[in-house]
Amino acid sequence: MARVQLITTGVMEERALGKSLRRLFPDHEFVSWPRLDGFTSARLPPAPPLPSGVRLNLDKFVANLIGAFDPGNRRDRSRPDFVVAVEDVELANADDPARITASLRDALQRRFDAWPTKDRAHDRLREDLQRKVSFHLMAPMTEAYFFADSRALARATAPAPCRPSRFDPETDVETFALDDPDYLGPPADPSSPWCTETGRQGHPKRYLIYLTESSAGGRYRESEHGARALEGLDWRHVARSPDHTRFARSLLADLEDMLGPPSQALPSATAAGQTHSLTWPPPRDHLLRNL
Amino acid sequence: MSPIAYRARALGPLRAIDWAIPPGVSVVVGPNRVGKSTLLRLPELVMRIITEGVHDAFKVIFEGVPHLRNLGLPPSAPMTLGVAVDPSEWEIELTVQAGQIAEFPNEHLRVDGDAILWRKFGSKEIEGKDCRFPLHNGLLASLSDTFVQSVYASLDDDTPWAPPDMSDPDLITKLRQYMPSDAPDLVVYAAMRMTMMFLPAMSVLSFRTYHYEINHLLRFGSLHSSAMELQVTGENVFPLLRNWRDKPEFEERYEFVLATMREIFPHLGRVGFEQAGQTVTMKISDRRWPGATTIPIARESTGFITALLQICAVASCRRNGLVTLDEVETSLHPRAIRVLIDAFRRWAAKHDLRIVLATQSETVLDQFRDEPSQVFVLEPTQETSPKALTDLFSPEYLSQFSLGDLFAHLEFGGDSDEERAP
């Protein structure tokens, strides 16, 4: 049995991603660390001017990846066998997610070069990162995958949606292109939490709030409804179309490479060429397992 | 939920306040001595002024008025206090004479920015356009206070609150019953406006962690009581919890407290109460202990009892109410803080509450990274305070940093450079 440590940036993923993946790989343990601050909500790479002395979330994120296997890390606890970090693509970089992976890679390289280990310890740490640590993206964010699994969507909108979903389930949830004029058009109540001036298109979380909005406001809460939906998410549905959900397939392919075949058959999920090239398979000069 | 804003000028450490409290959980940050604790008392002060009158309100909240004026402002700047619920706004000018607030202060009721009713300082009459009416005791608020309390008492705590329909003739007839029979229509209209404005200001609970009497509570327990609301000292917490448990209409509060405590302390087992004479205490078990072993609450940690009090404080509030918690982070582990704030959010959404936390904690602030507009910053040089964090920075900028880090590095919520200079 392998122990996989998850690094997440959202309360929903912190609470439920491990349980969700455990259903696919029941012989292995998935443990979440307290979530970190996300770094993809603004355009990457970070643009100056930036305040001096305040560490970017991106830098803190990579420090956690490296620190997981640092030899100076506390010795009274067993090390995880693997670390899998997961972050949302979000909207700011959705047109070019390579900005995210490139920024992470740059930050990782910079931080690793300055990491206070020497010689053999430094080499061992590099090997650990290359063999045991992965970084994956959820596109545009984890909530999108609920729209690929009707039961997960029902749990996210429980007890019942107040409005029908007009997301076309035959399209790729990772693109999350909506054609719902009531949601995208001028709203009746501009103070609704989903009702931002920009950023409604392609935003499954806001769409869930819209779908569950009664007179008392949007009911969807990621820590509650989202966590329940993610915990029970059927990854077979997420991965059913060979040309869709390539970021999710990358995660699944990586996990299969780490842990062996999943307990549930994932048709076409991990076939070569159908993952997202940014996150699987690994490039030749990889710093992490897949980056 | 009606958006409600509290306003003040030259009051204590506060220079100029215009504070619209959003629904849900929000947080106030700022350097020491900037007035966070005073800010958090404003809603209770306004509520007490409406229900108890200005003298008693200031006595309870600020132990009187001496030394209450902001000395950093020129003496000509009036000391004022007000509340606004769109489109109405009530403002009172606080003049201190002989160690107390002068009777018959200058005050205004405005609707859509136009004064519709006012009193000039010292006058025993109130005025409106083409109208004068004697008001020998109390503020303008006294025209509607009894009616407000009667409507408030009749509100159902189980269903979302909706403001009464101002054009409802029955309501106007009822309001007239609470007013002098010769009150002109304009005064009745003004009283109805004040009713709409004061109703959302009626349910306010203010807690300060440093006022919790934890030592006393642990050593001596609570006095038996039928209370359904936590005292500011927390001293009635044990009978309170037992009352919630035993009354079906309050059981949800008990379940919320216990579920949140178990989320913070996963090994917490059963909870029971013991009464000896008039004293009620609590005993708890731990799932790691053998058999049915329990210990008295007196043996529990400070963090445990503090968390219990904070959750009971929030659970005490009626639907559509406001709870303020000063120094929410005291004695709590970062994980406990995270669980607590998340539980507060769920409870606030379910019960239409506003919960305001005042803090100096980076961990507390970090819980607002997805809701930076719920962070309010008090700084000594602001023209009007507090400012929403998103008025100071763009959300995109903020998303690159931990809010706690930005706060710790004085990017916001610190003294200005001039203030720091010797």
Side-chain angles (χ1 to χ4, degrees):
Chain A
M1 183 184 82
R3 190 155 69 91
V4 182
Q5 194 88 52
L6 298 174
I7 294 181
T8 59
T9 59
V11 62
M12 174 175 73
E13 291 84 353
E14 180 191 355
R15 287 189 173 191
L17 184 60
K19 291 175 186 164
S20 183
L21 295 175
R22 181 84 192 261
R23 293 173 61 244
L24 273 181
F25 299 95
D27 297 335
H28 303 283
E29 188 186 6
F30 291 85
V31 186
S32 275
W33 273 342
R35 63 187 183 277
L36 302 177
D37 288 325
F39 61 90
T40 54
S41 296
R43 189 75 165 164
L44 290 167
L50 299 167
S52 61
V54 186
R55 283 172 64 194
L56 285 160
N57 289 343
L58 173 62
D59 291 327
K60 290 165 79 171
F61 191 91
V62 299
N64 272 275
L65 298 187
I66 301 170
F69 290 101
D70 181 87
N73 204 334
R74 56 187 296 175
R75 292 169 189 171
D76 57 342
R77 287 184 186 165
S78 57
R79 300 284 164 88
D81 297 296
F82 298 98
V83 169
V84 175
V86 178
E87 169 66 308
D88 289 337
V89 170
E90 298 278 0
L91 299 194
N93 301 286
D95 62 328
D96 186 9
R99 285 173 169 270
I100 300 173
T101 48
S103 298
L104 185 91
R105 227 187 115 92
D106 287 351
L108 197 63
Q109 185 68 65
R110 215 170 36 241
R111 194 87 170 101
F112 181 76
D113 289 345
W115 200 259
T117 45
K118 287 184 181 165
D119 306 331
R120 284 180 59 192
H122 209 64
D123 293 340
R124 257 201 317 273
L125 183 55
R126 184 198 312 275
E127 280 174 27
D128 280 341
L129 290 171
Q130 287 173 331
R131 287 192 302 115
K132 299 178 180 173
V133 181
S134 304
F135 171 76
H136 286 279
L137 287 165
M138 299 291 202
M141 56 199 66
T142 308
E143 279 88 348
Y145 302 110
F146 303 160
F147 289 83
D149 173 9
S150 57
R151 286 189 177 175
L153 187 60
R155 276 188 286 270
T157 55
C162 302
R163 295 168 168 133
S165 168
R166 293 191 190 151
F167 177 78
D168 179 358
E170 296 308 312
T171 61
D172 188 358
V173 294
E174 288 191 348
T175 308
F176 209 75
L178 276 164
D179 183 15
D180 187 339
D182 291 338
Y183 168 68
L184 298 171
D189 177 9
S191 67
S192 295
W194 54 270
C195 203
T196 49
E197 222 166 273
T198 57
R200 270 185 265 165
Q201 178 60 275
H203 203 296
K205 196 188 300 186
R206 285 194 186 122
Y207 195 51
L208 280 170
I209 295 170
Y210 166 80
L211 294 179
T212 57
E213 187 187 50
S214 63
S215 56
R219 201 177 49 237
Y220 174 77
R221 293 188 66 79
E222 61 173 309
S223 62
E224 204 177 336
H225 308 93
R228 275 201 294 271
L230 178 57
E231 188 178 335
L233 182 67
D234 190 334
W235 290 93
R236 289 173 300 182
H237 287 286
V238 172
R240 71 170 177 263
S241 175
D243 297 326
H244 293 172
T245 58
R246 291 179 171 231
F247 279 118
R249 285 163 184 289
S250 288
L251 168 66
L252 297 171
D254 187 12
L255 288 171
E256 190 169 339
D257 188 70
M258 266 179 215
L259 308 171
S263 69
Q264 302 166 8
L266 288 169
S268 315
T270 56
Q274 292 164 351
T275 53
H276 201 294
S277 59
L278 284 174
T279 47
W280 195 262
R284 205 175 298 168
D285 57 340
H286 55 120
L287 290 171
L288 303 179
R289 275 179 60 83
N290 67 330
L291 203 71
Chain B
M1 195 182 290
S2 312
I4 185 166
Y6 293 91
R7 292 168 184 169
R9 284 186 71 84
L11 183 66
L14 306 175
R15 295 163 66 91
I17 295 296
D18 187 354
W19 182 31
I21 304 178
V25 184
S26 57
V27 64
V28 174
V29 292
N32 294 125
R33 302 184 75 212
V34 79
K36 294 185 299 298
S37 299
T38 308
L39 181 77
L40 257 59
R41 305 302 305 274
L42 285 186
E44 191 187 355
L45 179 67
V46 167
M47 180 192 71
R48 286 185 182 274
I49 287 176
I50 296 166
T51 56
E52 298 166 19
V54 72
H55 298 294
D56 288 348
F58 273 91
K59 201 169 163 187
V60 171
I61 304 293
F62 295 119
E63 293 169 355
V65 290
H67 311 295
L68 198 59
R69 225 198 111 73
N70 186 305
L71 297 175
L73 290 170
S76 56
M79 181 162 69
T80 64
L81 183 68
V83 60
V85 173
D86 197 42
S88 309
E89 178 190 356
W90 171 63
E91 187 185 63
I92 170 174
E93 192 175 321
L94 304 161
T95 307
V96 178
Q97 279 182 343
Q100 55 182 344
I101 303 284
E103 259 192 311
F104 310 119
N106 202 354
E107 57 176 328
H108 288 87
L109 174 69
R110 296 186 185 89
V111 176
D112 286 324
D114 297 325
I116 63 160
L117 205 63
W118 60 90
R119 183 208 297 270
K120 288 181 186 150
F121 179 68
S123 170
K124 293 183 180 176
E125 282 185 330
I126 54 175
E127 296 174 51
K129 197 181 171 195
D130 307 324
C131 149
R132 278 172 177 271
F133 188 68
L135 190 63
H136 296 281
N137 45 32
L139 304 168
L140 288 181
S142 67
L143 290 168
S144 62
D145 61 348
T146 320
F147 182 62
V148 167
Q149 290 179 60
S150 137
V151 175
Y152 176 69
S154 70
L155 291 176
D156 178 5
D157 210 33
D158 290 334
T159 48
W161 182 82
D165 178 4
M166 270 196 59
S167 58
D168 178 358
D170 287 347
L171 199 69
I172 295 169
T173 309
K174 274 187 205 157
L175 170 60
R176 273 198 178 275
Q177 289 168 6
Y178 289 90
M179 298 186 65
S181 56
D182 58 342
D185 286 348
L186 177 68
V187 173
V188 177
Y189 169 75
M192 183 58 87
R193 282 289 178 196
M194 285 190 285
T195 302
M196 312 299 279
M197 187 167 46
F198 294 151
L199 264 177
M202 289 297 289
S203 179
V204 178
L205 297 176
S206 276
F207 296 92
R208 281 135 283 150
T209 307
Y210 43 88
H211 281 191
Y212 289 148
E213 296 281 357
I214 289 177
N215 269 342
H216 186 274
L217 188 59
L218 294 180
R219 284 185 68 191
F220 303 112
S222 306
L223 272 182
H224 170 72
S225 133
S226 57
M228 291 294 162
E229 199 174 272
L230 187 71
Q231 289 175 338
V232 290
T233 58
E235 283 174 284
N236 64 345
V237 66
F238 304 134
L240 174 79
L241 273 171
R242 193 175 60 174
N243 296 342
W244 285 352
R245 184 197 63 183
D246 295 342
K247 290 204 185 326
E249 67 270 35
F250 289 95
E251 204 178 353
E252 187 194 8
R253 297 185 184 189
Y254 179 76
E255 299 294 342
F256 168 66
V257 173
L258 227 58
T260 309
M261 286 298 283
R262 289 205 171 107
E263 215 182 328
I264 298 174
F265 306 101
H267 300 294
L268 175 62
R270 290 194 329 200
V271 168
F273 300 95
E274 285 180 330
Q275 183 160 356
Q278 287 296 300
T279 303
V280 183
T281 59
M282 198 165 123
K283 57 182 183 175
I284 62 159
S285 71
D286 187 301
R287 290 180 180 139
R288 294 166 295 187
W289 299 339
T293 314
T294 60
I295 59 163
I297 191 75
R299 294 288 176 205
E300 257 304 341
S301 72
T302 310
F304 184 95
I305 190 77
T306 307
L308 182 71
L309 292 171
Q310 304 291 35
I311 304 165
C312 287
V314 165
S316 288
C317 194
R318 284 190 60 174
R319 179 176 285 279
N320 209 49
L322 167 69
V323 193
T324 66
L325 297 174
D326 200 357
E327 292 193 5
V328 67
E329 67 274 14
T330 304
S331 301
L332 297 180
H333 185 275
R335 184 181 161 279
I337 291 173
R338 292 171 47 203
V339 172
L340 206 60
I341 293 176
D342 200 40
F344 288 174
R345 287 199 174 108
R346 293 196 301 269
W347 188 255
K350 195 169 180 191
H351 297 271
D352 300 326
L353 299 184
R354 294 175 175 88
I355 300 173
V356 183
L357 316 173
T359 191
Q360 301 284 13
S361 157
E362 295 157 59
T363 307
V364 171
L365 263 176
D366 280 341
Q367 308 318 305
F368 289 83
R369 61 182 176 167
D370 294 333
E371 298 181 328
S373 61
Q374 299 284 96
V375 177
F376 291 86
V377 182
L378 270 175
E379 287 171 356
T381 53
Q382 286 168 339
E383 210 164 282
T384 308
S385 300
K387 294 276 185 224
L389 193 56
T390 42
D391 289 343
L392 305 176
F393 304 92
S394 78
E396 292 72 29
Y397 178 88
L398 291 171
S399 73
Q400 301 178 86
F401 307 98
S402 134
L403 298 186
D405 283 354
L406 289 174
F407 178 57
H409 285 81
L410 308 181
E411 296 295 324
F412 66 85
D415 287 316
S416 64
D417 291 344
E418 303 89 75
E419 298 272 338
R420 284 199 300 274

